[in-house]
């Protein structure tokens, strides 16, 4: 997040991100006609159903993660701030063949997301955080940036 905020972008060269995009585009090829891509300025939602106010987030991962739910909650937060009523989300895991509803719990979720944003802001105002242990970096798009040249 810190590197991204400093405009150091590695995603386009990341094979893992490319794989994720490919899965999103090929798993549900009929989607583009049915739902919309929504550019919120600070975030882009790949699939949004304007009739039901539902965000569909496709994950290539073969395990569910709290970060996935947090990402969708953040989208719902942004949508509600823009005046979209009763936004909701669905996480979709094609590899696991499961979907998971992500509800928006109004004030409670708003408080939680705003706390995350405060914590994120504190990180961004500091200097570059220390690297994580390498074992936690394998799937990070900044892997080459952080670890090239090291054994
Ligand atoms: S490669 Fe590791 S240390 Fe570098 S940004 Fe990613 S998670 Fe952080």
């Amino acid at each position: 997040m810190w590197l991204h905020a400093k405009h150091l972008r590695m995603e386009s060269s990341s094979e893992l991100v490319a794989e994720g995009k490919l899965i999103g585009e090929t798993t549900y090829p009929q989607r583009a006609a049915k739902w919309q891509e929504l550019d919120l300025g600070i975030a882009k939602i790949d699939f949004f159903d304007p009739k039901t106010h539902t965000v569909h987030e496709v994950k290539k991962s073969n395990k569910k993660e709290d970060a996935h739910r947090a990402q969708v909650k953040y989208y719902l937060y942004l949508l509600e701030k823009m005046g979209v009523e009763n936004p909701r989300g669905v996480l979709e895991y094609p590899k696991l063949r499961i979907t998971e509803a992500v509800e928006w719990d109004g004030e409670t979720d708003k408080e939680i997301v705003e706390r995350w944003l405060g914590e994120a802001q504190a990180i961004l105002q500091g200097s570059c955080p220390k690297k994580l242990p390498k074992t936690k970096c394998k799937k990070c798009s900044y892997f080459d940036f952080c670890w090239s040249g090291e054994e």
Side-chain angles (χ1 to χ4, degrees):
M1 179 183 71
W2 193 94
L3 292 169
H4 192 271
K6 305 297 173 196
H7 306 289
L8 276 156
R9 305 283 159 82
M10 306 293 284
E11 284 87 344
S12 59
S13 60
S14 162
E15 284 176 20
L16 288 165
V17 172
E19 185 196 352
K21 279 188 180 151
L22 189 66
I23 286 175
E25 286 162 8
T26 57
T27 308
Y28 310 106
Q30 76 285 11
R31 278 197 174 182
K34 204 163 121 198
W35 299 335
Q36 301 172 342
E37 183 180 273
L38 203 57
D39 189 348
L40 303 178
I42 51 173
K44 197 185 272 184
I45 295 170
D46 291 335
F47 299 111
F48 179 66
D49 181 346
K51 282 191 186 154
T52 59
H53 300 175
T54 305
V55 172
H56 292 262
E57 179 65 25
V58 181
K59 291 295 175 200
K60 69 178 178 58
S61 171
N62 51 19
K63 75 176 170 101
K64 297 196 291 179
E65 291 178 26
D66 289 342
H68 301 158
R69 291 182 65 77
Q71 180 186 2
V72 175
K73 290 269 185 191
Y74 177 58
Y75 291 159
L76 302 183
Y77 170 81
L78 293 175
L79 287 168
E80 193 189 57
K81 269 188 92 170
M82 294 171 69
V84 175
E85 290 180 5
N86 302 319
R88 64 188 67 191
V90 178
L91 274 166
E92 307 183 357
Y93 296 88
K95 285 185 182 172
L96 297 173
R97 297 183 181 275
I98 58 171
T99 61
E100 183 178 301
V102 182
E103 303 297 341
W104 179 249
D105 189 13
E107 283 306 305
T108 308
D109 277 337
K110 187 171 169 222
E111 261 179 45
I112 292 169
V113 172
E114 289 184 345
R115 194 181 68 235
W116 292 338
L117 292 174
E119 290 166 1
Q121 200 56 39
I123 291 169
L124 295 178
Q125 283 168 356
S127 51
C128 183
K130 284 185 182 162
K131 287 193 282 191
L132 294 183
K134 198 171 182 179
T135 50
K136 294 191 181 253
C137 298
K138 299 281 185 232
K139 293 183 177 174
C140 179
S141 38
Y142 289 97
F143 187 87
D144 290 343
F145 178 83
C146 291
W147 295 105
S148 63
E150 305 213 17
E151 58 184 60

